[in-house]
Amino acid sequence: MEETSPFQRLGFNVLLVFVFLAFSRIFDVKFGSLHITGAAYRVVFAMVLLSRGFQVALSSNIGKALLGFTICFGLSVPFSVWRGGSKDIFLNQWLMYSFVSFLAVAGLVHNYQQWFKLFKALTYALLVFTVIANVFGVSDNGRLFLVQGKFGNSNEMAQALLLGLPLWGAMMVISKSLPGKAFAAGVMVLILVTTFRTGSRGAMIGFVAVLLVVFLRAPVMGKLKIILAGVLFLGIVLTTMPGRLIARYKTVADEEGDVAEMGGSMADSAASSSQSRKVLLRHSLIFTIRHPLFGVGPGMFPVADDTYSKAIGLNKGTWLGTHNSYTQVSSELGIPAFLLFVAVVVMALKGPYSIYRRTRGDPRLEDMGNAALALHYCLVVYAVTVLFEHIAYTIMLPVFGGLAACLVRTAAVEIQRIQATPLPVSMSPAMFHHYLAARPRPGQAV
């Protein structure tokens, strides 16, 4: 029998609200003074403690690695070039928000049915965010972003948008009705068009990487469908996207690009961005080598970069982040933290894909397999796009890593329950209906 405490049930229901609000960003543009997201977070935090959900979360391999990362994070603070600033980032940005978000997602989900509800809440949250980006977003030098709230950075906004693409791909496949499939396909097109309006070259590379992985894994007919869909989408992009944005994306292959087509301000921005990224990458690697154990301190790369730039004869540093989450961690927290960060990403990638492989060939588990595969591709998007933005301390990895951890835990139980009644070798409709009547229900002993 499945047993849940009142704290777990309340915590899970409020978690649905918190995740929806945190990813839809509704209160970034309207009614922010209500502080509903913050209130939901506090309830979730309390329920994680009272239900002992944190023990469940930390018992997973991802949880253990993330706990180790958190310990390394905290140990780096005393060795920071500015302890006060690092302490604030560790406590307020990571420990009491991002890490707690992981504990909530990985610890308050009790079974697969709850996991799928959370999966859908996140999926619809990213749809709402896409609508908000189109309605309230503004363009600066042709790039879409939100003036208020978290996504004033176009690159970070593009990553959040792109994470919705695999989720809505799963919804399209899972939907049993033609209108449902058509709606999900329309949302996917809207997400892609909105993502490309941000002008984020990192997001474009992330999209191409996911498309390449899907293409290589697909059968021959699947490859043909991907090619046809790609040609159709490319046609939509080329006919609807401003030429200056297309010219900006071309700078991925040619750094010079078409200055006349982009316009002077965008061309200067693209060129300076590419150049500064190379310098910042080189400096972050230097700091990693010079401070291998504890780094220069959480959030202190710009400070250390300024000091180093003056030491080598420059007037000042760029006062920018690393523009790479992996070197952000290695340079600010040290190599041990970097290894644990990579371990979390790798395990979060592998877990959902292992569930997908276990469900293949069983029609009863097809929807579970599609949802697991979508989460896997979300983490592919994350793993690639963080190469181009320093966002290692946000809730993105804790939430998606938490989803991966609780999927592995709850799906294993659900698979065992469903497969307790063997699938006949040849199943007629009558036999399938008999199977549905005979199979164990959730909470029923097998």
Side-chain angles (χ1 to χ4, degrees):
M1 297 292 292
E2 294 186 353
E3 297 179 359
T4 59
S5 69
F7 298 126
Q8 185 277 329
R9 291 192 294 272
L10 174 61
F12 172 74
N13 288 323
V14 180
L15 176 64
L16 293 176
V17 176
F18 169 69
V19 168
F20 182 84
L21 295 178
F23 281 84
S24 65
R25 312 309 301 178
I26 292 174
F27 294 112
D28 282 1
V29 294
K30 291 289 182 180
F31 312 115
S33 60
L34 297 177
H35 303 294
I36 295 177
T37 307
Y41 161 79
R42 287 169 174 79
V43 174
V44 167
F45 186 20
M47 295 306 104
V48 166
L49 297 177
L50 293 173
S51 69
R52 297 187 179 181
F54 65 92
Q55 294 179 337
V56 177
L58 295 178
S59 66
S60 66
N61 290 331
I62 293 176
K64 292 172 184 175
L66 209 57
L67 177 61
F69 174 78
T70 302
I71 292 172
C72 290
F73 205 137
L75 290 176
S76 69
V77 172
F79 299 91
S80 170
V81 297
W82 180 32
R83 296 175 187 173
S86 291
K87 179 182 176 181
D88 181 68
I89 291 173
F90 171 64
L91 291 178
N92 297 326
Q93 185 173 341
W94 176 257
L95 184 65
M96 299 304 294
Y97 188 67
S98 295
F99 186 59
V100 168
S101 297
F102 166 79
L103 296 178
V105 172
L108 289 176
V109 176
H110 184 71
N111 52 45
Y112 176 75
Q113 287 71 29
Q114 288 187 341
W115 181 89
F116 192 66
K117 286 182 181 179
L118 186 59
F119 176 89
K120 290 199 294 185
L122 180 58
T123 302
Y124 280 98
L126 290 173
L127 167 59
V128 173
F129 174 59
T130 305
V131 174
I132 286 174
N134 282 279
V135 174
F136 296 98
V138 298
S139 295
D140 180 21
N141 291 331
R143 301 185 65 188
L144 182 69
F145 68 98
L146 290 172
V147 176
Q148 297 178 324
K150 176 180 174 61
F151 292 112
N153 183 302
S154 296
N155 294 320
E156 192 172 353
M157 179 180 178
Q159 184 206 50
L161 289 164
L162 198 57
L163 286 168
L165 188 64
L167 301 180
W168 276 101
M171 296 298 285
M172 182 180 68
V173 176
I174 291 172
S175 177
K176 307 305 179 186
S177 67
L178 184 59
K181 290 182 180 295
F183 177 75
V187 172
M188 293 174 69
V189 173
L190 178 63
I191 287 174
L192 275 175
V193 172
T194 309
T195 301
F196 277 81
R197 286 181 61 199
T198 64
S200 172
R201 292 169 290 184
M204 185 196 72
I205 294 172
F207 171 66
V208 172
V210 171
L211 197 62
L212 180 61
V213 174
V214 174
F215 181 81
L216 292 175
R217 289 174 175 173
V220 175
M221 289 304 297
K223 287 181 171 63
L224 181 59
K225 292 178 182 178
I226 292 171
I227 292 173
L228 292 175
V231 171
L232 177 62
F233 174 72
L234 186 62
I236 295 173
V237 168
L238 292 177
T239 55
T240 60
M241 185 177 294
R244 61 194 310 198
L245 278 179
I246 295 175
R248 177 182 172 83
Y249 284 120
K250 290 179 181 177
T251 61
V252 172
D254 179 11
E255 289 189 8
E256 298 297 327
D258 190 334
V259 176
E261 190 173 3
M262 274 189 285
S265 58
M266 181 176 282
D268 291 342
S269 173
S272 63
S273 175
S274 298
Q275 185 61 33
S276 67
R277 285 173 186 272
K278 293 179 180 179
V279 173
L280 293 168
L281 175 62
R282 184 167 64 251
H283 288 187
S284 65
L285 293 175
I286 290 172
F287 297 158
T288 300
I289 295 171
R290 291 188 175 184
H291 306 272
L293 292 181
F294 302 109
V296 298
M300 293 303 111
F301 174 83
V303 179
D305 179 62
D306 181 64
T307 302
Y308 177 74
S309 297
K310 291 176 180 177
I312 61 176
L314 300 176
N315 291 330
K316 62 177 182 177
T318 59
W319 286 98
L320 296 172
T322 61
H323 284 292
N324 183 311
S325 292
Y326 297 106
T327 60
Q328 176 190 18
V329 173
S330 67
S331 63
E332 293 186 351
L333 308 184
I335 293 176
F338 164 77
L339 295 175
L340 289 164
F341 179 79
V342 172
V344 172
V345 173
V346 171
M347 287 189 289
L349 273 166
K350 292 176 63 177
Y353 193 66
S354 68
I355 296 299
Y356 166 71
R357 290 173 62 90
R358 286 183 63 184
T359 59
R360 282 191 301 182
D362 191 332
R364 302 166 296 178
L365 301 170
E366 184 178 6
D367 289 351
M368 179 189 292
N370 288 323
L373 189 61
L375 180 57
H376 168 75
Y377 284 130
C378 285
L379 286 153
V380 172
V381 169
Y382 179 86
V384 175
T385 53
V386 294
L387 284 165
F388 307 98
E389 191 60 34
H390 50 283
I391 49 177
Y393 312 148
T394 68
I395 67 169
M396 289 298 183
L397 183 58
V399 168
F400 281 90
L403 278 169
C406 60
L407 172 64
V408 171
R409 171 172 54 83
T410 60
V413 177
E414 184 72 0
I415 291 171
Q416 182 181 15
R417 182 186 69 80
I418 290 176
Q419 292 183 337
T421 302
L423 185 67
V425 176
S426 177
M427 180 176 281
S428 65
M431 294 173 67
F432 183 68
H433 290 306
H434 175 74
Y435 159 76
L436 290 177
R439 69 174 179 171
R441 302 298 177 187
Q444 180 179 340
V446 297

